[in-house]
Amino acid sequence: MLDTLEIMKRIPHRYPFLLVDRILEVNKEEQKIKGLKNVTINEEFFNGHFPGHPIMPGVLIVEGMAQCLGVLVMDGVEGKVPYFVGVESAKFKSPIKPGDQVIYEVEVEKIKRNFVKAHGVAKVDGVLACEATFTFCITDK
């Protein structure tokens, strides 16, 4: 398990944009990772999304999956950053609300040079909230 401080050693994201609180499992051999996000009403994005009906923005759910992937593939990589270059598909099945605990499960599909393609899911209480296939590029700062 990795805590927030260990996560911040591997990826450049910081509050209010660090969207992973803990890494629960890492399987380097199978290129899989499982992370956790505790969603609270104090999240900055709830100020405008949406007043009176707070739900986590879909793009931030996908970003959370990508940050988990970054923790997996950026381990030991110095002086580089992961940049999103594409989201091929994203499906949103149920809203994520304050008080939810999101479990991200991400698996690498392909690595070619400095490009990483992965598929991820986000679940709340075992129920699928989102799934996406996305790519990022590891590049110099």
Side-chain angles (χ1 to χ4, degrees):
M1 237 176 13
L2 302 174
D3 64 15
T4 305
L5 296 176
E6 289 296 318
I7 292 167
M8 291 191 306
K9 288 179 184 175
R10 296 186 188 192
I11 60 175
H13 306 81
R14 298 295 180 265
Y15 176 84
F17 219 71
L18 181 60
L19 300 171
V20 182
D21 295 324
R22 181 176 292 148
I23 297 299
L24 304 173
E25 296 174 22
V26 175
N27 186 327
K28 286 278 234 181
E29 196 172 285
E30 294 182 20
Q31 294 289 297
K32 294 180 180 181
I33 191 164
K34 184 186 280 189
L36 174 142
K37 166 71 176 152
N38 291 305
V39 181
T40 71
I41 193 63
N42 298 326
E43 307 285 350
E44 194 68 35
F45 50 78
F46 285 135
N47 287 327
H49 202 267
F50 300 105
H53 181 66
I55 61 171
M56 186 173 182
V59 295
L60 296 183
I61 300 168
V62 177
E63 173 67 27
M65 287 188 254
Q67 288 181 16
C68 281
L69 179 63
V71 171
L72 177 67
V73 301
M74 297 302 289
D75 185 24
V77 177
E78 301 288 326
K80 305 240 183 224
V81 292
Y83 286 114
F84 246 132
V85 294
V87 177
E88 291 179 30
S89 68
K91 295 179 180 154
F92 303 97
K93 304 292 186 175
S94 63
I96 295 175
K97 301 173 286 208
D100 286 344
Q101 189 172 69
V102 181
I103 302 296
Y104 301 117
E105 298 173 5
V106 184
E107 182 174 2
V108 172
E109 291 186 344
K110 183 179 183 181
I111 297 177
K112 188 174 181 181
R113 293 186 311 256
N114 56 332
F115 289 88
V116 182
K117 181 177 179 179
H119 180 78
V121 297
K123 297 178 181 178
V124 175
D125 296 327
V127 176
L128 183 66
C130 174
E131 67 177 310
T133 300
F134 52 90
T135 304
F136 68 69
C137 178
I138 300 170
T139 186
D140 294 322
K141 290 182 181 178

